[in-house]
Amino acid sequence: MKKIVFSLVAFSLFSCAEMQQVIDQLPQGTGILSQAEIGSGLKEALNNGITKQVSKLTVTDGFFKNQAVKILLPEELQVVDKKLRQIGMSSLADEGLKVLNRAAEDAVKEATPIFVDAVKQMTFNDAKNILMGNESSATTYLQNTTSNALYAKFNPVIKNSFAKVGADKVWTNIITKYNSIPLVKKVNPDLTDYTTNKAMEGVFKMVAVEEKEIRTNLNARSSDLLKKVFALQDKK
């Protein structure tokens, strides 16, 4: 989120009188930008930043091969996975895990417009608190303002994605085979809800990683605008 954080800080502020106060506080020698230039830069940062973040998770293996966000099986199904492997069905167990991640990769494509809307709704106080807050303030803001909307959007997409990537058939087969094993406790997990929550968790985790990077690594501030705005945070 090299540019999402920056856009979060100021996207809705460049038309506000308070923005001039921010400009006036910038360190000497950073140059003066008009509010129009700031507005254009922030819109570009928003578009580029969100696109970059979303694209990391929407590509094939965006979840599955990223250990930081890879979706693992819920506790209820870990015993299922273990039992299948014991009876020589490891390939089916592997496929069951992979299709959960594939569904999440498909669903995260829906995050962009929700994040854009959240940024548009930010107040000056929101932005000030984010800029001068801790290393995950922007991520926390997104979680607080988008979680309900993301769940509502992700859940039906996950359900449809299960059908698209074949997860529904794979898991119907897995559960049927497991429940047919003598003496096992029958399972009937809500994998749509579980995968929805894990997909959201993955999105916010990636946002937090990028937010920390831009706050703590000067080299991550890839534009003059980023350098000027986050110079204020450095001096807090």
Side-chain angles (χ1 to χ4, degrees):
M1 188 183 114
K2 288 184 178 179
K3 295 184 177 178
I4 290 181
V5 177
F6 178 47
S7 61
L8 287 175
V9 170
F11 179 79
S12 63
L13 304 184
F14 62 87
S15 61
C16 301
E18 290 92 341
M19 176 55 79
Q20 191 59 51
Q21 297 176 17
V22 175
I23 297 173
D24 292 341
Q25 295 177 61
L26 292 175
Q28 295 299 312
T30 56
I32 299 300
L33 297 175
S34 69
Q35 290 190 7
E37 288 173 319
I38 292 175
S40 296
L42 296 181
K43 289 178 182 179
E44 179 180 354
L46 176 67
N47 290 331
N48 292 344
I50 291 178
T51 298
K52 178 181 178 181
Q53 279 305 312
V54 172
S55 66
K56 288 181 180 179
L57 296 177
T58 59
V59 299
T60 300
D61 291 328
F63 271 85
F64 190 63
K65 290 188 177 180
N66 183 339
Q67 295 304 312
V69 297
K70 181 178 181 179
I71 298 176
L72 303 178
L73 294 179
E75 184 175 354
E76 180 183 9
L77 292 181
Q78 290 174 13
V79 64
V80 176
D81 181 88
K82 182 177 180 180
K83 179 63 69 173
L84 289 178
R85 295 181 189 282
Q86 288 176 345
I87 61 177
M89 301 183 69
S90 295
S91 60
L92 181 59
D94 290 340
E95 183 65 16
L97 183 60
K98 182 181 292 185
V99 292
L100 293 185
N101 285 271
R102 289 287 182 267
E105 291 158 8
D106 191 49
V108 172
K109 298 172 185 176
E110 303 295 327
T112 301
I114 296 173
F115 284 157
V116 170
D117 185 63
V119 173
K120 289 180 179 179
Q121 301 303 317
M122 285 178 60
T123 67
F124 173 70
N125 283 334
D126 289 332
K128 182 176 65 175
N129 291 335
I130 288 170
L131 178 61
M132 308 309 286
N134 60 38
E135 65 184 24
S136 62
S137 292
T139 305
T140 299
Y141 172 81
L142 280 180
Q143 286 179 302
N144 291 340
T145 58
T146 67
S147 288
N148 289 340
L150 281 177
Y151 187 93
K153 178 69 73 172
F154 277 20
N155 195 257
V157 174
I158 290 288
K159 186 175 182 179
N160 290 334
S161 295
F162 274 5
K164 182 188 300 184
V165 303
D168 51 351
K169 293 180 180 179
V170 170
W171 275 100
T172 295
N173 188 23
I174 288 174
I175 297 303
T176 298
K177 288 185 180 297
Y178 177 77
N179 286 342
S180 68
I181 298 174
L183 304 179
V184 302
K185 181 180 178 180
K186 303 295 188 288
V187 296
N188 184 31
D190 185 348
L191 286 175
T192 301
D193 175 74
Y194 175 78
T195 306
T196 298
N197 283 304
K198 286 299 181 181
M200 292 170 55
E201 182 180 305
V203 168
F204 292 128
K205 185 173 292 187
M206 293 300 292
V207 169
V209 168
E210 293 294 340
E211 178 179 0
K212 181 178 180 179
E213 177 74 1
I214 199 172
R215 287 184 182 274
T216 60
N217 182 1
L218 295 180
N219 293 328
R221 301 171 190 177
S222 56
S223 72
D224 288 339
L225 288 177
L226 286 172
K227 293 172 184 176
K228 290 175 182 179
V229 170
F230 280 90
L232 292 176
Q233 173 217 260
D234 297 339
K235 295 178 180 297
K236 69 180 180 179

